[in-house]
Amino acid sequence: MKLLFIGDIVGQPGRRAVAELLPRLRAQHQLDFVIANGENSAGGSGITPKTAEEIFSAGVDVITSGDHLWDQKEVMELLANEKRFLRPLNYPPGTPGQGCGVFEVQSSKFKAQSPISVGVLNAQGRTFMPPLEHPFLFAHEEVKWLRELTKIIFVDFHAEATSEKIAFARYLDGQVSAVVGTHTHVQTADEQIFPGGTAYLSDAGFTGPHESVLGREIEPVIKRFLTNMPQRFEVAKARVILHGALIEIDETSGKATKIQRVAEAIQSA
Ligand SMILES: [Fe+2]
Ligand SMILES: [Fe+2]
């Protein structure tokens, strides 16, 4: 099966890129399942039911998140009611929402066979990040029961440090189909398949305006670094690119057979 993961969708330009490009990418690559990180989809900070709906209707099956989870108060509604929305798994027990789920693949390719499901897990790193529960231990426990339901498991590891990302993915090698990193908004060039069959990319990059600093207008960010004074970081506008990773998975074993970086510019900008 073929799965597309889309890196952090930033603001309106990011949502527009997904709406404009995903239908073509779905057809071109005969995608069976699409996952996107939506933590920056509302004005660059957080996510609301409205921005989530826009992303789902563009053809995304599951939305993951990260440290910007709480930026919009309407997220509570998503956490309470939307099964296709995931927050990092390693929040303390009792936190609203869920960190993983099992979803049936709707693709017509598999209609004739018995239905195929995909497990999706979202976790957050702890190095240079707000303190959370242990991502390695929480993910390991969760993957154990997920594997009883499906061998096809995708993990979005939202983290800053490449060492933590690689160690986390190596720890899960052979247990999950893919670990793709998010959060830095910079796409890395280290895509590979580990010996156990887990596809890996340190960071998928971000979907939004690349004439920017990580999706935000350039000048205020420079000013912030020069003066240390707080600035308003508006979402930038130009050079809108969709970043992500395309992964092929053997449905029977759950092992990845291919991983490829994706960078697609929109036509209208
Ligand atoms: Fe982000
Ligand atoms: Fe983040």
Side-chain angles (χ1 to χ4, degrees):
M1 68 163 297
K2 279 187 176 180
L3 183 154
L4 175 70
F5 177 70
I6 300 173
D8 301 30
I9 298 168
V10 177
Q12 193 274 337
R15 303 197 307 273
R16 190 178 43 157
V18 175
E20 221 177 284
L21 295 169
L22 187 52
R24 181 172 62 70
L25 289 171
R26 262 196 177 266
Q28 184 187 336
H29 298 288
Q30 300 190 323
L31 300 174
D32 302 300
F33 204 76
V34 181
I35 302 159
N37 186 301
E39 73 150 6
N40 307 106
S41 63
S45 299
I47 183 163
T48 64
K50 198 177 151 283
T51 62
E53 194 39 57
E54 225 180 294
I55 295 167
F56 286 134
S57 25
V60 170
D61 297 293
V62 173
I63 299 176
T64 55
S65 58
D67 56 314
H68 283 289
L69 177 67
W70 308 105
D71 291 358
Q72 307 284 339
K73 59 180 187 308
E74 298 96 315
V75 76
M76 294 308 291
E77 211 179 295
L78 283 172
L79 290 168
N81 304 317
E82 181 51 80
K83 289 282 167 265
R84 298 171 295 169
F85 177 68
L86 303 180
R87 62 154 168 80
L89 176 80
N90 46 323
Y91 273 93
T95 307
Q98 56 279 318
C100 72
V102 176
F103 306 89
E104 205 171 292
V105 175
Q106 302 298 333
S107 170
S108 55
K109 247 191 270 174
F110 304 112
K111 278 276 151 67
Q113 311 164 19
S114 53
I116 286 191
S117 25
V118 179
V120 183
L121 191 148
N122 189 191
Q124 188 171 308
R126 300 199 297 185
T127 306
F128 314 125
M129 301 279 286
L132 283 181
E133 305 291 336
H134 205 305
F136 289 52
L137 301 182
F138 268 52
H140 188 252
E141 277 309 300
E142 211 69 14
V143 163
K144 260 196 249 169
W145 77 259
L146 273 178
R147 282 181 66 82
E148 288 175 18
L149 304 172
T150 178
K151 298 270 183 288
I152 306 167
I153 300 171
F154 176 88
V155 181
D156 170 359
F157 189 42
H158 197 78
E160 181 73 46
T162 45
S163 59
E164 189 180 19
K165 287 167 148 170
I166 297 169
F168 176 86
R170 288 278 182 181
Y171 179 62
L172 294 177
D173 182 24
Q175 302 300 303
V176 302
S177 310
V179 177
V180 176
T182 53
H183 178 67
T184 70
H185 289 203
V186 177
Q187 189 176 67
T188 57
D190 60 338
E191 70 275 22
Q192 60 198 290
I193 297 174
F194 291 148
T198 297
Y200 177 72
L201 175 66
S202 286
D203 209 291
F206 81 95
T207 297
H210 282 248
E211 199 53 36
S212 69
V213 178
L214 311 183
R216 307 307 182 109
E217 290 289 4
I218 298 164
E219 282 310 316
V221 182
I222 294 177
K223 203 168 169 195
R224 166 72 180 273
F225 276 108
L226 284 174
T227 66
N228 274 346
M229 284 158 63
Q231 306 290 324
R232 263 192 90 83
F233 295 152
E234 301 288 354
V235 171
K237 293 176 186 71
R239 199 153 62 87
V240 179
I241 298 172
L242 181 149
H243 267 175
L246 185 64
I247 298 151
E248 293 185 28
I249 300 161
D250 178 286
E251 300 94 58
T252 320
S253 66
K255 290 183 192 303
T257 53
K258 194 176 171 188
I259 177 164
Q260 192 184 328
R261 273 174 283 140
V262 173
E264 292 270 344
I266 67 167
Q267 305 297 318
S268 61

